Amino acid sequence: MSPSSLSIQERLESIRTELPEDVTLVAVSKTKPNDCIEEALEANQLDFGENRVQELQEKESTLPKNIRWHQIGHLQTNKVKAIVPFVHLIHAVDSAHLLKEIDRRAKNFGRTVDVLLQVHIAQEEVKYGWKAPDLQRYLEEEAVVSFEHVRIRGLMGMATFTPDQQQIAQEFKQLRHLYDSLLAAHPDWNTLSMGMSGDWRIAVDEGSTMIRVGSSIFGGR
Ligand SMILES: *Cc1c(COP(=O)(O)O)cnc(C)c1O
């Protein structure tokens, strides 16, 4: 079956059929035009993910206001103020510095912004994400810092880009263990964002609560 012969709505439906009810599907619409998003909206998809701030701003200003916008990619501190007024969840917070900037900008705007901390779980060299021990150390200190306008809701991670399913499962399992080990000290956490088009089924098996799927819904980029 060629996925390209299916409509956006049919592809959404087939993912939803397989997805446990308590796992949130974020439709990653980066690089895709507004009419693709509108088609998904008609199928009651309200969570959308973007990774470029300018594109996110443009889409937010032209599309319906009931959309929940997720910033899923790396976020530069100088771009924070542009999305703080409307963003639903920032997935890839990878430094204390960025967390502070979100808190500061959200305070100016009179909002509390929900975020996830990105953890580096892949074996390949990637630029972004906390290493688990650094994150654990930081969170112990963070109890003292305590932000008022940024609320950490959980963790996000990306597995290595590899055909080795066992390796992917292993990396997601590690992240799930880290998440579970931190939950006791952070009872308000509720989100573990892991899984993309190529690996969301593995991620869900390993305990993901939120998947970010682009090409399997909207086609290749
Ligand atoms: C692009 C992107 C996705 C979606 O990727 P697909 O393979 O198209 O599903 C998920 N997460 C992040 C952080 C991304 O940048």
Side-chain angles (χ1 to χ4, degrees), residues 18-191:
E18 270 188 68
L19 205 59
E21 254 176 55
D22 51 356
V23 179
T24 302
L25 170 61
V26 177
V28 176
S29 48
K30 63 189 186 196
T31 77
K32 299 295 175 182
N34 283 0
D35 56 345
C36 289
I37 296 174
E38 279 159 354
E39 211 178 315
L41 267 174
E42 275 172 41
N44 295 318
Q45 178 64 34
L46 288 178
D47 290 276
F48 290 90
E50 293 283 336
N51 68 341
R52 285 165 179 265
V53 165
Q54 195 186 341
E55 186 178 344
L56 175 53
Q57 273 184 295
E58 281 166 16
K59 286 175 173 170
E60 192 276 337
S61 67
T62 48
L63 285 160
K65 295 300 172 197
N66 58 339
I67 292 179
R68 295 186 287 264
W69 291 108
H70 297 246
Q71 167 68 30
I72 59 168
H74 178 67
L75 180 60
Q76 289 171 279
T77 41
N78 64 351
K79 301 276 173 67
V80 168
K81 65 172 184 293
I83 62 168
V84 144
F86 63 84
V87 73
H88 176 69
L89 181 65
I90 300 176
H91 286 233
V93 175
D94 58 1
S95 73
H97 180 60
L98 182 56
L99 213 44
K100 276 190 199 133
E101 177 65 5
I102 298 168
D103 187 55
R104 188 170 79 87
R105 294 292 181 178
K107 182 179 181 182
N108 289 346
F109 208 80
R111 272 199 86 190
T112 298
V113 171
D114 284 350
V115 306
L116 305 176
L117 303 178
Q118 181 176 6
V119 184
H120 178 149
I121 52 170
Q123 280 181 13
E124 61 201 347
E125 272 305 311
V126 290
K127 278 180 279 185
Y128 307 117
W130 304 77
K131 297 218 169 68
D134 295 341
L135 179 64
Q136 280 161 319
R137 204 174 310 121
Y138 173 71
L139 286 173
E140 280 161 23
E141 292 161 10
E142 188 250 351
V144 195
V145 178
S146 98
F147 296 106
E148 283 180 30
H149 294 270
V150 62
R151 190 164 57 154
I152 300 170
R153 304 315 310 270
L155 304 178
M156 176 269 205
M158 284 195 271
T160 304
F161 187 72
T162 169
D164 184 344
Q165 312 270 299
Q166 268 178 325
Q167 183 183 342
I168 295 170
Q170 196 49 46
E171 290 172 2
F172 285 148
K173 200 185 291 290
Q174 257 178 37
L175 185 56
R176 176 75 212 199
H177 282 319
L178 178 65
Y179 179 77
D180 286 343
S181 75
L182 291 167
L183 263 186
H186 304 274
D188 54 335
W189 284 16
N190 63 5
T191 306

Side-chain angles (χ1 to χ4, degrees), residues 28 30 51 72-73 156 158 196-198 212-216 221:
V28 176
K30 63 189 186 196
N51 68 341
I72 59 168
M156 176 269 205
M158 284 195 271
M196 310 175 23
S197 289
R212 311 174 309 273
V213 177
S215 42
S216 291
R221 290 179 296 269

